[in-house]
Coordinates of all heavy atoms in Angstrom, one line a residue:
E107 N -4.3 16.8 -24.7 CA -4.5 16.7 -26.2 C -5.1 18.0 -26.7 O -4.7 18.5 -27.8 CB -5.3 15.5 -26.5 CG -5.4 15.2 -28.0 CD -4.0 14.9 -28.6 OE1 -3.1 14.4 -27.9 OE2 -3.8 15.2 -29.8
K108 N -5.9 18.6 -26.0 CA -6.6 19.9 -26.4 C -5.7 21.1 -26.4 O -5.7 21.9 -27.3 CB -7.8 20.1 -25.5 CG -8.7 21.3 -25.9 CD -9.9 21.3 -25.1 CE -10.9 22.5 -25.4 NZ -12.1 22.6 -24.6
Y109 N -4.9 21.2 -25.3 CA -4.1 22.4 -25.1 C -2.6 22.2 -25.3 O -1.9 23.2 -25.6 CB -4.4 23.0 -23.7 CG -5.8 23.4 -23.5 CD1 -6.7 22.7 -22.8 CD2 -6.3 24.6 -24.1 CE1 -8.1 23.1 -22.6 CE2 -7.6 25.1 -23.9 CZ -8.5 24.3 -23.2 OH -9.8 24.7 -23.0
Y110 N -2.1 21.0 -25.1 CA -0.7 20.8 -25.2 C -0.5 19.5 -26.0 O 0.1 18.5 -25.4 CB 0.0 20.7 -23.9 CG -0.1 22.0 -23.1 CD1 -1.1 22.1 -22.1 CD2 0.8 23.0 -23.3 CE1 -1.2 23.3 -21.4 CE2 0.7 24.2 -22.5 CZ -0.3 24.3 -21.6 OH -0.4 25.5 -20.9
P111 N -1.0 19.4 -27.2 CA -0.9 18.1 -28.0 C 0.5 17.6 -28.1 O 1.4 18.4 -28.5 CB -1.6 18.5 -29.3 CG -1.4 20.0 -29.4 CD -1.5 20.5 -28.0
G112 N 0.7 16.3 -27.9 CA 2.0 15.7 -28.1 C 3.0 15.9 -27.0 O 4.2 15.5 -27.0
S113 N 2.6 16.7 -25.9 CA 3.6 17.0 -24.8 C 3.5 15.9 -23.8 O 2.5 15.5 -23.3 CB 3.3 18.3 -24.2 OG 4.1 18.6 -23.1
Y114 N 4.7 15.4 -23.4 CA 4.8 14.5 -22.3 C 5.2 15.2 -21.0 O 5.3 14.5 -19.9 CB 5.8 13.4 -22.6 CG 5.2 12.4 -23.6 CD1 5.3 12.6 -25.0 CD2 4.5 11.3 -23.1 CE1 4.8 11.7 -25.9 CE2 4.0 10.3 -24.0 CZ 4.1 10.5 -25.4 OH 3.6 9.6 -26.3
L115 N 5.6 16.4 -21.0 CA 6.1 17.2 -19.9 C 5.0 17.2 -18.8 O 5.3 17.1 -17.6 CB 6.5 18.6 -20.2 CG 7.0 19.5 -19.1 CD1 8.3 18.9 -18.6 CD2 7.2 20.9 -19.6
Y116 N 3.7 17.4 -19.2 CA 2.7 17.6 -18.2 C 1.8 16.3 -18.0 O 0.8 16.3 -17.3 CB 1.7 18.7 -18.6 CG 2.4 20.1 -18.7 CD1 1.9 21.0 -19.5 CD2 3.5 20.4 -17.8 CE1 2.5 22.3 -19.6 CE2 4.1 21.6 -17.9 CZ 3.6 22.6 -18.8 OH 4.2 23.8 -18.8
K117 N 2.2 15.2 -18.6 CA 1.4 14.0 -18.5 C 1.4 13.4 -17.1 O 2.4 13.3 -16.4 CB 2.0 12.9 -19.5 CG 1.1 11.7 -19.7 CD 1.7 10.8 -20.8 CE 0.7 9.7 -21.1 NZ 0.2 8.9 -19.9
Q118 N 0.2 12.9 -16.7 CA 0.1 12.3 -15.4 C 0.6 10.9 -15.4 O 0.7 10.3 -16.5 CB -1.4 12.2 -15.0 CG -2.1 13.6 -14.9 CD -1.4 14.5 -13.9 OE1 -1.1 14.1 -12.8 NE2 -1.2 15.8 -14.4
N119 N 1.0 10.3 -14.3 CA 1.5 9.0 -14.2 C 1.0 8.3 -12.9 O 0.4 9.0 -12.1 CB 3.0 8.9 -14.3 CG 3.7 9.9 -13.3 OD1 3.6 9.7 -12.1 ND2 4.4 10.9 -13.8
S120 N 1.3 7.1 -12.7 CA 0.8 6.4 -11.5 C 1.3 7.0 -10.2 O 0.7 7.0 -9.2 CB 1.2 4.9 -11.6 OG 2.6 4.7 -11.8
H121 N 2.6 7.5 -10.3 CA 3.1 8.1 -9.1 C 2.4 9.5 -8.8 O 2.1 9.7 -7.6 CB 4.6 8.4 -9.3 CG 5.2 9.3 -8.2 ND1 5.2 9.0 -6.9 CD2 5.8 10.5 -8.3 CE1 5.8 9.9 -6.2 NE2 6.2 10.9 -7.1
S122 N 2.2 10.3 -9.8 CA 1.6 11.6 -9.5 C 0.2 11.5 -9.0 O -0.1 12.1 -8.0 CB 1.6 12.4 -10.8 OG 0.7 11.9 -11.8
V123 N -0.6 10.6 -9.5 CA -2.0 10.5 -9.1 C -2.0 9.8 -7.7 O -2.8 10.2 -6.8 CB -2.8 9.7 -10.1 CG1 -4.3 9.5 -9.6 CG2 -2.8 10.3 -11.4
S124 N -1.2 8.8 -7.5 CA -1.1 8.2 -6.1 C -0.7 9.3 -5.1 O -1.1 9.3 -3.9 CB -0.2 7.0 -6.1 OG 1.2 7.4 -6.1
S125 N 0.1 10.2 -5.5 CA 0.6 11.3 -4.6 C -0.4 12.3 -4.3 O -0.5 12.8 -3.1 CB 1.8 12.0 -5.3 OG 2.9 11.1 -5.5
Y126 N -1.3 12.6 -5.3 CA -2.4 13.6 -5.0 C -3.3 13.0 -3.9 O -3.7 13.7 -3.0 CB -3.3 13.8 -6.2 CG -2.5 14.4 -7.4 CD1 -2.8 13.9 -8.7 CD2 -1.6 15.4 -7.3 CE1 -2.1 14.4 -9.8 CE2 -0.9 15.9 -8.4 CZ -1.2 15.4 -9.6 OH -0.5 15.9 -10.7
L127 N -3.5 11.7 -3.9 CA -4.3 11.0 -2.9 C -3.6 10.9 -1.6 O -4.1 11.2 -0.5 CB -4.7 9.6 -3.4 CG -5.7 9.5 -4.6 CD1 -5.7 8.2 -5.2 CD2 -7.1 9.9 -4.1
F128 N -2.4 10.5 -1.7 CA -1.6 10.2 -0.5 C -1.3 11.5 0.3 O -1.5 11.5 1.5 CB -0.2 9.6 -0.9 CG 0.7 9.4 0.3 CD1 0.6 8.3 1.1 CD2 1.8 10.3 0.5 CE1 1.5 8.1 2.1 CE2 2.6 10.1 1.6 CZ 2.5 9.0 2.4

Side-chain angles (χ1 to χ4, degrees):
E107 187 61 27
K108 183 177 180 180
Y109 295 104
Y110 300 95
S113 173
Y114 285 89
L115 180 64
Y116 296 153
K117 191 178 187 305
Q118 301 302 313
N119 54 63
S120 52
H121 169 60
S122 66
V123 181
S124 75
S125 299
Y126 303 138
L127 290 165
F128 175 83

